[in-house]
């Protein structure tokens, strides 16, 4: 999908996406730096679209991560209570007992599934940001997968303010 802007700022749009990797160096950098780049050139419809997409995706990924961690903690607590109700959990200097080993198989399967889901979320984040950066540098629009639209995206070309609509004689009716 090509943009309708005659001269979109591809560099700033690409930096918006790349700046989300700052979360690995700066706490909350995946929200702060894209927001700074986006606000610097927000009047450009192309940059506005990419800024909103990047922030919506990062907020969505954060919420998915929190949801998976909460589910994992609830599962571990569930299995911990399950072990304590059926078989005693004994820890001493030379001995650790969790009861029958078959009880641990379900916990291992659950932990493996949660680990794979978190790994998949991490890989999705890396791949989607790289694809968005490539599309932005080529001057194309990009929509992230699995994104919840917290900041309503506007269509490129829909940047007419409410006051500007009255300046156009064709839009005025009696």
């Amino acid at each position: 999908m090509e943009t309708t802007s005659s001269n979109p700022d591809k560099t700033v749009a690409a930096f918006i996406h790349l700046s989300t990797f700052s979360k690995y160096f700066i706490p909350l950098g995946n929200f702060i730096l894209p927001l700074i780049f986006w606000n610097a050139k927000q009047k450009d419809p192309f940059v506005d679209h990419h800024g909103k997409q990047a922030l919506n995706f990062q907020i969505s990924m954060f919420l998915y991560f929190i949801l998976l961690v909460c589910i994992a903690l609830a599962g571990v607590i569930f299995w911990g209570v399950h072990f304590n109700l059926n078989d005693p959990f004994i820890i001493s200097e030379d001995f650790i007992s969790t009861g029958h080993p078959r009880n641990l198989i379900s916990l291992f399967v659950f932990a493996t599934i949660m680990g794979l889901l978190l790994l998949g979320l991490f890989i999705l984040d890396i791949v989607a940001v790289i694809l968005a950066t490539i599309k932005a540098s080529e001057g194309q629009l990009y929509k992230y997968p699995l994104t919840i639209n917290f900041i309503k995206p506007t269509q490129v070309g829909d940047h007419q303010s409410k006051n500007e609509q009255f300046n156009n004689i064709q839009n005025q009716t009696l």
Side-chain angles (χ1 to χ4, degrees):
M1 174 182 343
E2 291 295 322
T3 64
T4 59
S5 180
S6 60
N7 190 14
D9 199 343
K10 300 175 203 173
T11 307
V12 173
F15 274 125
I16 287 172
H17 297 293
L18 282 179
S19 66
T20 61
F21 287 133
S22 65
K23 68 182 167 189
Y24 300 115
F25 309 109
I26 303 169
L28 300 177
N30 60 328
F31 303 116
I32 297 169
L33 287 178
L35 190 60
I36 291 170
F37 283 126
W38 176 46
N39 281 330
K41 292 275 193 158
Q42 191 173 5
K43 299 226 185 277
D44 183 358
F46 184 74
V47 173
D48 185 48
H49 172 80
H50 282 278
K52 288 178 180 179
Q53 286 294 316
L55 287 172
N56 282 334
F57 182 69
Q58 291 303 312
I59 294 168
S60 299
M61 288 294 107
F62 180 72
L63 290 177
Y64 295 147
F65 174 77
I66 295 297
L67 179 68
L68 284 175
V69 168
C70 288
I71 290 171
L73 287 175
V76 168
I77 291 170
F78 170 75
W79 268 283
V81 169
H82 177 72
F83 289 148
N84 285 335
L85 292 177
N86 293 332
D87 296 316
F89 184 76
I90 302 169
I91 299 177
S92 66
E93 291 179 13
D94 300 326
F95 183 71
I96 296 176
S97 173
T98 59
H100 199 277
R102 73 171 175 243
N103 293 339
L104 289 176
I105 292 173
S106 59
L107 178 61
F108 179 73
V109 169
F110 177 76
T112 302
I113 290 171
M114 287 292 110
L116 288 174
L117 287 174
L118 286 170
L119 179 65
L121 196 64
F122 174 74
I123 291 170
L124 173 67
D125 185 29
I126 300 278
V127 169
V129 168
I130 291 172
L131 287 175
T133 304
I134 292 169
K135 292 289 187 182
S137 67
E138 292 174 350
Q140 299 176 355
L141 299 179
Y142 183 77
K143 185 172 181 333
Y144 282 98
L146 301 176
T147 301
I148 303 168
N149 288 327
F150 296 102
I151 304 170
K152 184 182 175 197
T154 55
Q155 299 295 328
V156 176
D158 287 350
H159 283 274
Q160 184 180 23
S161 73
K162 292 180 181 179
N163 293 334
E164 289 175 0
Q165 68 184 352
F166 295 110
N167 294 337
N168 189 350
I169 297 173
Q170 293 176 349
N171 288 339
Q172 294 178 359
T173 59
L174 295 176

